[in-house]
Amino acid sequence: MGKGTGPAAAEPENLGGTAIKPVGWDRTGLEAFKYLLYNPDTGEVLTRTPLSWLKITVFYAVYYSFLTAFWLGCLNIFFLTLPEVTSGPKWTMEASIIGTNPGVGLRPASTNKRIDSQMFVLKKGDTNKVGTDEHGEGDLNIDYAIRMQKFLEVYTKEASAGYESFDLASLDECQKFPYGFIGTEEDKEVSPCIFIKFNKIWDWKPTPLNATDLEDPEDLLPEAVKEHVKVQEDKDNVWINCDGRYPADKEALKDMKYFPASRAIPAKYFPFNGGKANADFNGGKNYHSPLVAIKIKPTTVGQLIHVECRAYFQGVKHDTKHKLGLVQFEVMITEN
């Protein structure tokens, strides 16, 4: 029979279970901390029995041992795929991402702070010979010269066996410090020497232009380059041609000089098969990157001169977007 619902009906019964509170639930403060460290009732240390600690220690010791062995095995397999240092990169020439169309480099390099800049900003008539620091990490005229001097240190030693030594004397006016970046007592005008080089590609050897290339009417060789190459006795070279990118730049570069005057990078310096900047380090080979210097004589203060230098050899590709086969930079003279 159901229960009544009237005012005289009995109070409803409570349904549900009763929670059982564990031993020590009311411990607080220092007492609770002591029981956390060691519970005399159960023998637990930091909430685990010694047997529990033993099991979990053994489990993780085995687990991480297998994990370490697996990692070392994978690392060893990776090292097995690497060629010997003396063998060079595994992928070279057409098989590599770099390919066979080297970029054209520029020296002196920018400071570390402006590593992505190719602009030379120089002060007119500057004769200061004190650099920002010993590495030339600054924006003074002399800093450019210091960075160039450090780059050329490798040329003070003979190239290693199998490589040709580059004779800095071929750079004539641009062979000695401060390379025109500061004025001298004889000539206070700033006439910087900018050095052009090839980026290194392992095993790459250029094929010089031949008579057919020079006479091909469909060839995109500039006439100035064709005429220059035709009158050179030694044609086993890569040729460098620099010019202004815009009409005003071409006018500003009318007094530009090349060193050597042949504008040539001899093919005898290739291929590159490894080398270090310091041949005494770890048995590294000393390689001399061949150079062509251009001496610029800016006359208009504040004019930004846009310069583009291109390399010419058989199969070269010129791409201004990806800087293939060429280099672009700017030179500006400011008031001191």
Side-chain angles (χ1 to χ4, degrees):
M1 177 181 293
K3 295 186 178 181
T5 58
E11 292 292 330
E13 297 179 0
N14 292 326
L15 301 178
T18 303
I20 300 176
K21 298 176 180 178
V23 177
W25 69 272
D26 55 347
R27 297 191 188 106
T28 58
L30 182 60
E31 182 185 12
F33 180 70
K34 289 180 178 180
Y35 269 83
L36 173 67
L37 297 178
Y38 177 70
N39 189 332
D41 298 331
T42 61
E44 294 177 348
V45 178
L46 295 176
T47 72
R48 286 184 180 273
T49 63
L51 180 61
S52 176
W53 278 117
L54 177 63
K55 289 179 179 179
I56 198 171
T57 300
V58 171
F59 169 79
Y60 278 108
V62 173
Y63 172 74
Y64 282 113
S65 295
F66 276 101
L67 189 63
T68 301
F70 176 75
W71 181 81
L72 290 174
C74 291
L75 186 64
N76 188 57
I77 293 173
F78 168 74
F79 283 137
L80 290 176
T81 66
L82 298 179
E84 294 295 329
V85 174
T86 55
S87 301
K90 183 174 183 178
W91 307 109
T92 61
M93 304 295 284
E94 292 86 355
S96 69
I97 296 177
I98 298 175
T100 58
N101 199 74
V104 180
L106 192 67
R107 291 295 183 276
S110 301
T111 61
N112 293 333
K113 185 178 180 180
R114 295 185 174 85
I115 194 65
D116 58 343
S117 173
Q118 301 256 64
M119 182 182 295
F120 296 82
V121 181
L122 306 169
K123 294 180 180 179
K124 178 182 178 181
D126 187 9
T127 57
N128 171 44
K129 296 182 180 180
V130 181
T132 301
D133 58 32
E134 61 178 337
H135 302 292
E137 288 293 323
D139 298 323
L140 302 175
N141 288 23
I142 190 63
D143 289 327
Y144 289 95
I146 293 174
R147 294 199 296 273
M148 192 63 223
Q149 186 178 48
K150 293 184 71 66
F151 171 77
L152 292 178
E153 285 178 355
V154 68
Y155 295 84
T156 60
K157 297 180 181 180
E158 291 293 318
S160 300
Y163 290 139
E164 292 284 338
S165 293
F166 182 80
D167 186 5
L168 292 179
S170 65
L171 300 178
D172 198 6
E173 296 178 22
C174 293
Q175 66 175 301
K176 294 182 179 179
F177 185 88
Y179 317 108
F181 284 98
I182 62 173
T184 62
E185 294 181 359
E186 298 79 15
D187 184 7
K188 295 189 178 298
E189 292 302 318
V190 173
S191 302
C193 290
I194 312 297
F195 297 80
I196 310 301
K197 62 181 285 293
F198 269 129
N199 295 337
K200 301 181 186 72
I201 293 183
W202 192 284
D203 270 346
W204 179 77
K205 185 175 177 63
T207 303
L209 301 174
N210 55 34
T212 303
D213 299 318
L214 299 178
E215 299 299 336
D216 187 355
E218 296 183 1
D219 200 292
L220 299 180
L221 282 175
E223 284 300 320
V225 175
K226 290 182 179 180
E227 295 303 318
H228 174 76
V229 176
K230 286 179 181 179
V231 299
Q232 301 300 314
E233 293 184 5
D234 182 6
K235 293 182 171 57
D236 191 22
N237 303 299
V238 174
W239 308 98
I240 301 295
N241 186 66
C242 299
D243 204 354
R245 295 173 62 189
Y246 307 107
D249 303 321
K250 296 179 186 295
E251 177 66 21
L253 295 175
K254 63 183 180 181
D255 294 326
M256 180 178 65
K257 294 181 180 179
Y258 290 89
F259 299 101
S262 62
R263 316 181 194 178
I265 292 181
K268 67 180 181 180
Y269 292 101
F270 304 94
F272 169 76
N273 293 121
K276 296 180 181 294
N278 184 351
D280 295 329
F281 174 72
N282 199 27
K285 295 190 293 184
N286 191 22
Y287 174 74
H288 291 182
S289 291
L291 304 171
V292 169
I294 58 172
K295 191 176 184 68
I296 300 175
K297 296 184 177 181
T299 56
T300 304
V301 175
Q303 179 184 1
L304 184 62
I305 305 174
H306 304 80
V307 186
E308 180 176 278
C309 294
R310 297 192 175 204
Y312 292 93
F313 54 89
Q314 280 191 25
V316 67
K317 296 178 182 178
H318 295 126
D319 187 330
T320 56
K321 180 179 180 181
H322 299 98
K323 302 297 186 292
L324 296 178
L326 58 86
V327 65
Q328 296 175 334
F329 60 95
E330 296 79 37
V331 178
M332 184 170 69
I333 300 296
T334 62
E335 288 290 353
N336 194 344

